[in-house]
């Protein structure tokens, strides 16, 4: 099992995560928002996202991603004193999603925009993802990326 430790002051954590969430209190949704990572390196991209989500989602301890979306990487990520377990699955069901689990808070599912998504399209998708009933998945599909494609 591969583990990567990320000290709190590493340079890759200096750029903020690019994401949009549905407003709190809008009920349960299949997709809670969208995330636009800069690279396909999960160990680099996860720390800023987890830091940004902490006020709302608490201490995220498990992340599930589809193997086809990300470069090979660790199965565990150590951020300070916490360990994040990373599950990779070719059969996750939705290539362009990430599932984040937080004990006591629940589950956050985000649509993942490929890093090479043009900025104008990403902006529209992110804005759409932050509005209840906005259909972020349909927008990503319209941008030429299918959020509902299974690997294989």
């Amino acid at each position: 099992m591969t583990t990567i430790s990320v000290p709190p002051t590493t340079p890759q954590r200096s750029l903020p995560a690019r994401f949009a969430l549905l407003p709190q209190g809008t009920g349960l949704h299949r997709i809670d928002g969208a995330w636009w990572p800069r690279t396909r390196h999960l160990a680099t991209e996860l720390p800023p996202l987890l830091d940004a989500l902490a006020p709302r989602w608490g201490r995220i301890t498990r992340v599930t991603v589809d193997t086809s979306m990300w470069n090979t990487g660790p199965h565990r990520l150590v951020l300070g004193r916490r360990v994040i377990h990373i599950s990779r699955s070719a059969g996750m069901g939705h290539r362009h999603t990430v599932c984040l689990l937080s004990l006591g808070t629940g589950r956050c599912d985000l649509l993942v925009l490929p890093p090479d998504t043009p900025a104008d399209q990403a902006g529209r998708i992110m804005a759409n993802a932050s509005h209840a009933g906005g259909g972020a998945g349909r927008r990503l599909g319209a941008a030429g990326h299918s959020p509902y494609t299974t690997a294989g």
Side-chain angles (χ1 to χ4, degrees):
M1 181 181 302
T2 307
T3 302
I4 291 181
S5 293
V6 181
T9 58
T10 55
Q12 67 259 32
R13 293 182 74 192
S14 62
L15 291 175
R18 300 182 296 188
F19 69 99
L21 296 175
L22 289 169
Q24 283 186 280
T26 58
L28 296 174
H29 301 276
R30 190 177 93 57
I31 297 292
D32 299 297
W35 175 35
W36 184 27
R38 290 173 174 81
T39 70
R40 292 186 186 272
H41 300 283
L42 200 55
T44 300
E45 298 295 335
L46 267 179
L49 178 67
L50 298 179
D51 285 347
L53 292 176
R56 181 162 168 185
W57 292 98
R59 187 179 174 117
I60 294 168
T61 57
R62 185 165 297 279
V63 175
T64 303
V65 297
D66 189 274
T67 55
S68 62
M69 182 72 178
W70 300 96
N71 292 345
T72 303
H75 295 283
R76 289 188 321 163
L77 187 62
V78 179
L79 299 174
R81 297 180 128 192
R82 75 179 156 151
V83 176
I84 292 86
H85 298 275
I86 301 171
S87 300
R88 295 169 180 271
S89 171
M92 185 178 149
H94 304 293
R95 179 177 179 211
H96 293 282
T97 61
V98 61
C99 174
L100 306 133
L101 299 176
S102 175
L103 292 175
T105 304
R107 173 179 174 157
C108 175
D109 289 281
L110 298 177
L111 194 65
V112 181
L113 285 68
D116 59 351
T117 302
D120 60 331
Q121 290 177 348
R124 286 191 301 271
I125 295 166
M126 300 284 277
N128 194 42
S130 64
H131 293 87
R138 290 189 304 275
R139 285 289 188 157
L140 188 57
H145 305 284
S146 175
Y148 305 112
T149 305
T150 56

